[in-house]
Structures are given as structure tokens and as C-alpha cells.
Amino acid sequence: MLEVSGITQIFGGVTALEAVSFKIAKGEITGVIGPNGAGKTTLFNIISGIYRQTSGTVLLEGKDVSGFPPERLARLAMVRTFQNIELFGGMTVLENVMVGMHTKSSSGLLACSFKAPWSISEERRIRECAMTWLEFTGIADLADQTAGNLPFGKGRLLEIARALAVGPRIILMDEPAAGLNSQETLALAGLIKRIRDLDITVVLVEHDMELVMDICDRIVVLNLGKKLAEGTPREIQESPEVIAAYLGDDD
Amino acid sequence: MEFDQILQYSLSGLSTGAIYALIGIGFSIIYNATGIINFAQGEFVMLGGLLTLSSLQLLKLPLWAAIPVSVAISTVVGVIFERLAIRPLRQPTPINLVIITIGGSILIRGLAMLVWGKDTHAIPPFSGDTPIAIGGATILPQHLWILAITLIIIVVNKIYFYHTISGKAMRACSYNRRAAGLVGIDVKRMVLFSFIISAAMGAVAGIIVAPLTMTAYDVGVMLGLKGFCAAIIGGMSSGISTVIGGLLLGVLESLGAGLISSGYKDAISFIILLLILFIRPQGLFGKADSERV
Amino acid sequence: MKKDLLLFIAFALLVMAAPQLFKGGYLMNVLVFVGINTMLAVALNLLLGYAGQISLGHAGFFGLGAYLSGILTTTYSMDPWGAMPVAAIIVGSLAGLIGFPILKLKGHYLAMATLGLGIIIFIVFNETVDLTGGPSGLSGIPNLKLAGVSFDSDVKNYYLIWTFALAVMLFSINLANSRVGRALRAVHDSEVAAQVLGVNARLLKVQIFTLSAVISSLAGSLYAHTMTFISPASFGFNFSIELLTMVVIGGLGSIFGSFLGAALLTLLPEFLRAVNDYDIIVYGALLMVMVMFMPGGLVRGIPALYRKIAGQKGEAGNA
């Protein structure tokens, strides 16, 4: 599904990532873990087209997508969420999800201004589809609220609903459990599993080990910009290198 | 093309360029300390010239006293502006800051029109107007004054930024405001300082240029914009790059006006501005900086 | 959305009935300008209020529309109805071309670049004397004609201008509540998130910049054909600032707000006649006060103020 090979990123002389390679299988939940500063978010920013890597390639379903801008990756059915949820604060919850339908609709500037008949029916379809994603994530009752006023936990759900509206085959989540309480984290675990059941491949960067060990099919461990280990949760838990890396870290 | 002619245009371009450089440094100092492009920067230039005029004519002060008095008053206006318009702003988004500094600039200009009227005023040159011959060209004593005073200000500026505590603190703010705050630098005070320095420098620029170009309530608009061009060429540096930017702009403009068409003189600056912003937004001499693009 | 449309219908009826209500010819003339300024403010608001991209050069696009229409109909004897779309296409192409590099810039830098662009256009109006007549202006521009009726009186012009202004308002309301409008607002709130969802932010910004320039050009053409005389002074930096003031005072991202701002700023000088040139003091103060105390503009500020006052009264009653 997704294959990164030899990803190296250098920021002004500092090597943030060094020759990182791994494969992610279709339909699995993969966790990317590692101590602070391991380069997890940098890796996500490269895969999702926000940064351009110094060297290395990203293959999405066998296609080389290195250096593609994020909007092109969305059309190839890859989408991501952010650690500090990036909502469209001035818009309603429903409208946020409707923006997610951007690539699944096509009315242009003039069709929209003149209210062409096809743009009206498309608008209806966008609205209905967006509503079903709000129901899927369980926040349909908040549809008309302003997104900027949502509590953090609900905002996280909205961001996931919005990403799902893109119709992804793969979704990258950057620390989805950050800032959530234990009850919300539990609900999130259920939601992520239900997303996988829709045949969407999930990749997450996460600090919450309990969550990672619970839901992930495979885990990739990064440390100091390099891949340290890769395997099933059980293998990772027993890996002496991983244990050493985590014990050496005060976190 | 006569060499003498080119020399003549270049020489007079250098002194206008020095003025642009001073105004440009004023822009950069505020930008580096606060991230704000102060659209009211040109108004301090206008205030410097017109306040000197009033000090000379109404207060009957001698020139050597009139200059510090008008610089001081302009600086006070700068402080008031920072206190009333910038500091209390609840949502300091770039667009709000653009709008509020534009509002401030219009307000100051309007009040100046109320005080000094719409006429153009002349200020006597600092030391007569007997032309001095240099090669095949001539320049006025005022040109030399401009170059000399600009040089002094740049040197003082350099000493301030590199050899005084508050100057170093300002530089720290320009590298990283948050980190500067964390190590105990009073960032708000540095913001105020930046307005004080910029207002004073703008006023000086306005005073030394007034004997050459005359002055009026609305000179701040164009001079301010030209100063901004200089700062952009210099990559928003508060040092030598902006000085070179200003001099370059002054000379190009002067040559363009003389050799191509005087009507398009101002257009030349703005075409340079757009080209630099499109091609090298980090300035002619700077390294790439993702924040500006 | 439905609410917006109902409000629009009520507004349109009121606009169309206005000439019957005030029979005065002088007021009609001012209301013609309100109509033109409404078009311009709505155009700028699409860019600034929805997409969050500032322009301090819109007077330039307005002027280009006016001059192109003026030159095509006088020097080249084109029909005004033909000149208008030609002007709009030229201005639109220009804006589209310059849009790509200029909209790469953000915030203060975009403000300065658009300002520079506006000034360059202004200088061209002044300097290309053979084409534009230079600072003394271009006169003898023909009125628009429709089915043998020439739009040469204030009342006729009122209906002409407001037909266009209402159409622009309706299109903009439709646009704002559509797929494209949402994408614009998304780019405004978080460009990176919009991109991740598949919105081509760069292209979209250029599109809206172009549309905004085209509407401004249309307003310019209409201005030229109703005034029959134009000069560079109407299209300078100060007018760009005036447009900005209209949008900010009315309310960023509100089409009716743009009308309110345009109406207020067009009518204000009529009331400030006593202080004549000093109206710029009022503009400056208005801009500052609005940003500081009513950043949402009149359309949001007045209801909020009303609720606050009503709320205080309620509390006082309870006490």
C-alpha cells in the first residue's frame, strides 16, 4: 500500500531522518512510535507532501509520489490529520466535513455562482454524504455548531470525519490520542478499528503505548532519525533494542 | 551617453537612496522586533520635515535646536501610536495589523493636513546652496549633509545593536520572540523601543531631505513606500543590506528618470519591488526564508 | 443559506422600489455611486473576507476596466456593450497572470506587492497621455444604450447600475455557500488542512483574485459609461484604501456587510461636506476603531452590541 525507502531529511545541517525504509500492508493498522525527537512527525510531513525530503522515495500503491503536493495526494486517496487539530474554526462542523468532499465534487467557480442545476444536486449529495460521516464518528448532533467552539475531543473526531470524507484508502493520523482523556481514547481505539473495517489502511504516530499495543497490527520504531525495529506489537515489546531506547529516554 | 551625465544622476541618486535606506531600516527594525510592517512609517518622515519647519518659523529656534525638537516630537507620536494602536490590538493577525497601521497613517496624515494645510513648504538648506563640483558633475552641500548624517546614524545604529544591552536584547527578539521572552527579555518594551528608534530615524530622514525636495503633509506615502522597497531589496535587514538596497534604488531611480522618463520614476521602484518579491523574496543578499513566501 | 436568499430578495425589492420612495434626483446620483462601490466592495470582500488574501491595488483593476471601456468606445468607436466584456477579459487575463506570483506572498508582503501593482497601474494612466489623455482625463465616453433607450439620467443609471450590483451580490452569495466558497474559507482558516483535503489552494486563490478583478473591471466600465468622463485621480492608492475601509467596516466575509460599508463610505462624504478634505481623518479613525473594537464589522458588531446592551438591561432588571 505504502512504501517508504531510504528517506533522509536534513534541516540546515541537522539530520532529522536517515535512510528510513519500511512497507505498510493494505488494510492494516500500523503504528509509528519512538522517543521524542525520533523524527516521527517529520516522516509524516514528508509522506503527506508537506515537506520535500532530501532524498529517498515514497511509493503509494506502487506509484512514486515523492514530492507530490498534499492536494495531489488527496486525489490519490491519501489523507492525514494533525497533532494540534487543524479545524476550519470559522465554519460549522458540517461545513468542515463538506470541505472534505472537495475532491469528490467538481462544480467550478462559475457553476457555483450561477447555481447551475448540476451544482445544486451535487451540493445536496455533498451535504448528505458529509452527514453520514458525522454519524459514523458520532458527532452528528453537533453539525450546526461552529467548529472553533468545539471541545478538543470532539474537534479530534471532527478532524477524522473530515478526513474520511475525502474517501481515503489510507489515512495518516498524527498522535490522535494526544489531549484526550482515557474514556475518549478508548472510544478512539474503537473508531480506528471501525475505520480499518472499512478497508482503509491506517498509519498512526502515537505516544500512548497502551493504545498502540492494543490496536496496531504492526509497529515501526524510530529512534534518533533511524528505524530501530519493526514487527508485531509482541515482537516490539520483547525487542531489547527498543527497551534500551525507551529506558534511555526520560520520557 | 555622457559620462558626466551618468555621474550626475548617480550622485544625486545616492543621496535620495540614503534617505530610502534610513526609512527602510526603520521598517526593518519594527518588522524584526514585532513581525509588523508599519504602514505609518512614512508619516514619521513627513512629521520630521514639517515639525522642523514649525520649530524654525513659529518657535524661531535655530536649526541645531529645531532638529532635535522635531525628532523628539515625532518619537512621541511613535510611542503614542504603539500604545494606542498596536499594543491594545486583541486579534493581531497580519491583516488586522495592515489595516490598523494604514488607519494610523491616514489619521496622522489627515491631522498634519489640518495643522500645516495642503501647501508645499520649503526648509532652508543646512549650509547654503553653492554647488560643489565633483568631476564633471555638481552636487549641493545638502547632498553631503544627507550622506554624512546617514553614515553617522548607521554607525550609531550598529553600535547600539551590537554593543549595548538593550540593542542585544532587540536582536534576540528578532531571532526568536518567544525564546527572548523566556530568558527574561521584556518583549513588550522591545516593541516600544523599536517604534521609538524607527520614528526617530524616519524623522531624521524627513528633516535632512526636506531642503532638497520640499515637504508637505502627503510626502510620507511615497517616501514610506520607497523605504519599504529598500528594505525588501535588503531582505528586511536593519543593517548594511538595506543601506545598499536604498542606495541601489536611489541610483536606479535617478538614472531611470534622467535617461528614460521622469514620469515613470516612481514606477521603476515598484517594478523593482515586485520583481524582488516574485523572484527573491528573501532580498538580494539573503538566504531563503520560508516565512516570507 | 435560505436566510441569505430571503434577505437578498427583500433587499432587491427595496433597491428597486427606492426611486419611487425618494423622488430627489440628487440622492439618485449618490445611490448610483453606492451601487458601483457595492460591486467593488463585494469583489474585494471575496478576496479578503473569504479567501483571506489582502489587496491594496483594487483601484487599479477598477481603473483598467474604466479606461479600457473608455478608450475602446472613444478612440476605437466600439459599442459600449461590446467594450465591457472585452475590458473584463483583458483585466481578468492580466490578474490571472500576475496572480500566480503575487499570491505566493502572504500577509504584509502581499499587501505591499498589490499596493505596488496598483501604483504602477496608476502611473501608467497618468503617463500614457496618447491613450488615456493623462492627468487631464478622458472625456466623451458614450452612455450605454438598450433597445433605443440611452442610460443618460440618474434614475436610468440607478436601475442599470443596481441591476449589475444586485447580480454581483447574488452570485457572490451563491458562491460563498457553495463548494468553492467553502474551500475558500477553508484556505483562510488553515491552508495546510485545506490542501491535505485536496483543495488546490494556490489555484483557488488565483481564481478568486481573477474573479475579483473581473468584477472590479465591470464596475469600472459601468462607471466610465455613466460618468462619461474619467481621470486617473479616481483610481489611485487612496481609493484602494477607501475600498478596504468599506469591506472592513461592513464586515469581512459578509456580502451585505460590503453593501453597508459601501453605502456608509459613499454617503459619509455627503455629510462631511462641511469639513471637505478632512474626511480622511474620519476614514483613518474609522479603520482603527473598527479593527480594535468591532473586528467583525458592522454586520456582526451591531447585533453583538445590541445583545450586550439588552443583556445588561436584563441583568439590571433581575437585580
Side-chain angles (χ1 to χ4, degrees):
Chain A
M1 181 76 208
L2 181 74
E3 181 179 350
V4 298
S5 58
I7 295 284
T8 298
Q9 177 71 299
I10 300 170
F11 290 118
V14 179
T15 307
L17 287 174
E18 195 181 336
V20 174
S21 307
F22 57 85
K23 281 184 192 173
I24 284 165
K26 189 165 164 30
E28 283 189 345
I29 300 177
T30 307
V32 179
I33 62 169
N36 283 328
K40 305 178 299 279
T41 296
T42 306
L43 183 66
F44 254 38
N45 283 339
I46 289 169
I47 298 175
S48 58
I50 292 170
Y51 292 167
R52 180 82 166 94
Q53 67 269 31
T54 312
S55 64
T57 53
V58 180
L59 297 181
L60 181 62
E61 295 179 312
K63 183 177 171 157
D64 186 354
V65 296
S66 314
F68 277 28
E71 62 263 26
R72 235 178 122 186
L73 294 170
R75 289 188 182 274
L76 294 171
M78 175 156 93
V79 66
R80 70 166 287 179
T81 65
F82 296 87
Q83 187 179 341
N84 311 306
I85 51 174
E86 291 273 345
L87 296 177
F88 307 129
M91 299 163 70
T92 67
V93 167
L94 182 62
E95 281 176 323
N96 263 269
V97 183
M98 288 168 83
V99 176
M101 301 283 295
H102 194 79
T103 57
K104 303 231 144 206
S105 48
S106 60
S107 301
L109 197 75
L110 292 178
C112 289
S113 317
F114 285 90
K115 277 215 160 168
W118 67 88
S119 77
I120 298 176
S121 59
E122 187 176 79
E123 180 77 8
R124 197 178 308 123
R125 182 172 64 79
I126 292 173
R127 188 174 294 271
E128 284 162 5
C129 194
M131 213 51 217
T132 60
W133 287 117
L134 283 180
E135 280 155 14
F136 182 82
T137 51
I139 49 170
D141 53 323
L142 303 173
D144 294 327
Q145 300 238 2
T146 305
N149 298 338
L150 289 187
F152 196 81
K154 302 286 183 199
R156 180 73 76 194
L157 293 176
L158 171 56
E159 203 191 19
I160 294 172
R162 194 177 66 180
L164 290 172
V166 176
R169 285 192 294 279
I170 179 165
I171 180 168
L172 313 177
M173 298 187 185
D174 193 355
E175 298 202 25
L180 300 189
N181 61 35
S182 54
Q183 215 177 345
E184 285 170 332
T185 306
L186 205 64
L188 177 77
L191 177 62
I192 293 177
K193 283 180 189 160
R194 281 194 291 134
I195 293 173
R196 178 192 48 192
D197 295 342
L198 295 174
D199 210 21
I200 297 170
T201 309
V202 180
V203 187
L204 46 124
V205 160
E206 190 46 73
H207 271 300
D208 186 326
M209 280 308 140
E210 215 174 316
L211 177 73
V212 172
M213 295 302 163
D214 172 29
I215 63 172
C216 289
D217 300 304
R218 279 187 84 72
I219 292 174
V220 175
V221 188
L222 294 182
N223 189 31
L224 302 172
K226 289 181 193 161
K227 188 173 82 175
L228 188 68
E230 189 180 352
T232 63
R234 177 171 289 273
E235 286 164 6
I236 294 300
Q237 273 168 323
E238 289 164 358
S239 156
E241 289 126 319
V242 175
I243 293 166
Y246 271 87
L247 286 179
D249 185 63
D250 289 338
D251 249 16
Chain B
M1 187 71 52
E2 294 288 319
F3 175 76
D4 289 353
Q5 226 180 337
I6 293 182
L7 182 68
Q8 179 69 59
Y9 289 132
S10 305
L11 282 175
S12 55
L14 277 182
S15 60
T16 344
I19 299 293
Y20 298 161
L22 281 184
I23 303 168
I25 291 175
F27 266 110
S28 306
I29 289 175
I30 293 185
Y31 179 81
N32 290 334
T34 63
I36 298 169
I37 301 286
N38 177 22
F39 278 75
Q41 191 63 24
E43 307 315 322
F44 299 124
V45 182
M46 173 272 291
L47 283 177
L50 287 174
L51 285 167
T52 305
L53 178 87
S54 296
S55 309
L56 290 171
Q57 291 183 345
L58 290 177
L59 303 178
K60 306 281 179 212
L61 289 178
L63 189 69
W64 60 264
I67 292 174
V69 165
S70 29
V71 172
I73 300 175
S74 308
T75 309
V76 170
V77 175
V79 171
I80 296 174
F81 183 63
E82 196 273 340
R83 279 293 160 105
L84 291 186
I86 309 293
R87 196 172 287 202
L89 202 57
R90 274 173 289 177
Q91 299 172 16
T93 59
I95 284 183
N96 281 350
L97 286 165
V98 167
I99 295 169
I100 205 142
T101 56
I102 285 179
S105 120
I106 300 177
L107 187 64
I108 296 174
R109 198 182 317 146
L111 293 172
M113 179 164 78
L114 205 62
V115 175
W116 286 283
K118 294 174 93 171
D119 299 330
T120 310
H121 305 274
I123 289 181
F126 293 2
S127 56
D129 44 14
T130 322
I132 305 163
I134 293 182
T138 56
I139 58 168
L140 295 170
Q142 191 65 30
H143 285 122
L144 295 178
W145 276 108
I146 291 177
L147 292 173
I149 292 176
T150 306
L151 189 69
I152 293 171
I153 289 180
I154 289 164
V155 170
V156 170
N157 204 33
K158 193 95 185 161
I159 294 171
Y160 170 73
F161 276 112
Y162 285 84
H163 300 282
T164 67
I165 295 287
S166 92
K168 285 177 182 170
M170 289 258 294
R171 269 173 52 223
C173 284
S174 76
Y175 290 126
N176 188 332
R177 256 191 301 286
R178 218 171 65 88
L182 287 176
V183 298
I185 294 172
D186 184 347
V187 177
K188 276 192 174 161
R189 219 174 85 189
M190 292 301 132
V191 171
L192 183 64
F193 270 20
S194 71
F195 272 84
I196 291 176
I197 301 171
S198 306
M201 285 178 73
V204 170
I207 295 167
I208 58 182
V209 78
L212 277 184
T213 57
M214 315 258 268
T215 189
Y217 78 102
D218 60 352
V219 295
V221 184
M222 250 333 155
L223 283 173
L225 293 173
K226 300 287 177 61
F228 177 77
C229 294
I232 284 289
I233 298 176
M236 295 314 276
S237 106
S238 47
I240 196 74
S241 307
T242 295
V243 177
I244 297 173
L247 295 178
L248 203 65
L249 190 66
V251 171
L252 282 177
E253 208 181 80
S254 173
L255 285 174
L259 306 176
I260 305 168
S261 144
S262 62
Y264 287 107
K265 190 185 99 189
D266 293 332
I268 293 170
S269 307
F270 292 107
I271 290 169
I272 295 174
L273 170 74
L274 286 184
L275 286 179
I276 298 264
L277 283 175
F278 291 172
I279 301 165
R280 281 190 72 85
Q282 71 274 32
L284 271 190
F285 321 102
K287 276 187 262 162
D289 175 355
S290 56
E291 223 176 289
R292 262 156 232 163
V293 287
Chain C
M1 156 120 217
K2 284 237 172 64
K3 201 182 67 189
D4 278 357
L5 277 183
L6 286 176
L7 198 61
F8 176 78
I9 291 167
F11 178 74
L13 289 174
L14 197 68
V15 166
M16 286 302 155
Q20 311 304 318
L21 299 175
F22 332 97
K23 290 253 188 267
Y26 170 68
L27 191 63
M28 281 296 106
N29 179 280
V30 179
L31 292 178
V32 166
F33 285 105
V34 174
I36 290 174
N37 288 340
T38 300
M39 287 176 75
L40 291 166
V42 168
L44 183 59
N45 204 351
L46 285 177
L47 187 67
L48 180 60
Y50 288 96
Q53 308 300 310
I54 198 166
S55 166
L56 298 179
H58 258 52
F61 296 127
F62 174 53
L64 279 176
Y67 269 104
L68 284 168
S69 260
I71 293 166
L72 288 172
T73 50
T74 53
T75 316
Y76 299 97
S77 325
M78 232 175 123
D79 182 74
W81 289 112
M84 251 164 68
V86 171
I89 289 168
I90 295 175
V91 173
S93 319
L94 187 78
L97 276 179
I98 200 127
F100 277 99
I102 218 166
L103 289 161
K104 261 209 268 182
L105 304 164
K106 291 196 166 113
H108 299 106
Y109 283 77
L110 179 62
M112 278 293 185
T114 48
L115 193 164
L117 179 67
I119 294 181
I120 292 171
I121 296 174
F122 176 72
I123 293 171
V124 170
F125 292 155
N126 273 300
E127 296 301 320
T128 49
V129 180
D130 293 344
L131 272 173
T132 62
S136 48
L138 187 68
S139 56
I141 303 168
N143 286 119
L144 284 156
K145 283 192 185 65
L146 193 63
V149 182
S150 174
F151 290 93
D152 52 6
S153 74
D154 284 338
V155 176
K156 285 183 207 159
N157 277 328
Y158 174 89
Y159 282 111
L160 171 77
I161 298 290
W162 272 102
T163 307
F164 276 90
L166 286 172
V168 165
M169 286 175 79
L170 181 61
F171 291 162
S172 304
I173 290 170
N174 287 343
L175 186 68
N177 292 308
S178 73
R179 167 182 182 270
V180 175
R182 277 190 302 271
L184 280 174
R185 284 183 284 153
V187 168
H188 189 176
D189 283 350
S190 168
E191 189 164 331
V192 65
Q195 286 173 318
V196 162
L197 298 175
V199 176
N200 188 337
R202 194 155 170 224
L203 184 68
L204 194 66
K205 283 195 244 174
V206 174
Q207 279 185 335
I208 205 72
F209 186 70
T210 308
L211 177 72
S212 181
V214 165
I215 297 174
S216 306
S217 165
L218 279 178
S221 296
L222 289 168
Y223 175 80
H225 293 303
T226 51
M227 295 292 289
T228 71
F229 168 79
I230 50 176
S231 76
S234 320
F235 312 112
F237 173 54
N238 283 339
F239 190 62
S240 285
I241 299 298
E242 217 176 296
L243 289 176
L244 176 76
T245 316
M246 290 175 195
V247 175
V248 172
I249 286 184
L252 290 170
S254 161
I255 302 297
F256 291 106
S258 291
F259 159 74
L260 268 184
L264 192 71
L265 250 74
T266 317
L267 294 171
L268 200 62
E270 306 297 321
F271 298 118
L272 292 178
R273 227 155 241 225
V275 291
N276 215 334
D277 292 329
Y278 301 107
D279 53 358
I280 69 165
I281 300 177
V282 178
Y283 291 164
L286 267 179
L287 268 180
M288 295 180 75
V289 167
M290 288 306 290
V291 173
M292 272 195 264
F293 301 108
M294 232 184 238
L298 289 176
V299 280
R300 295 183 195 86
I302 300 249
L305 202 66
Y306 175 79
R307 277 195 300 274
K308 209 170 171 184
I309 293 169
Q312 269 167 3
K313 269 188 192 155
E315 274 168 37
N318 290 339

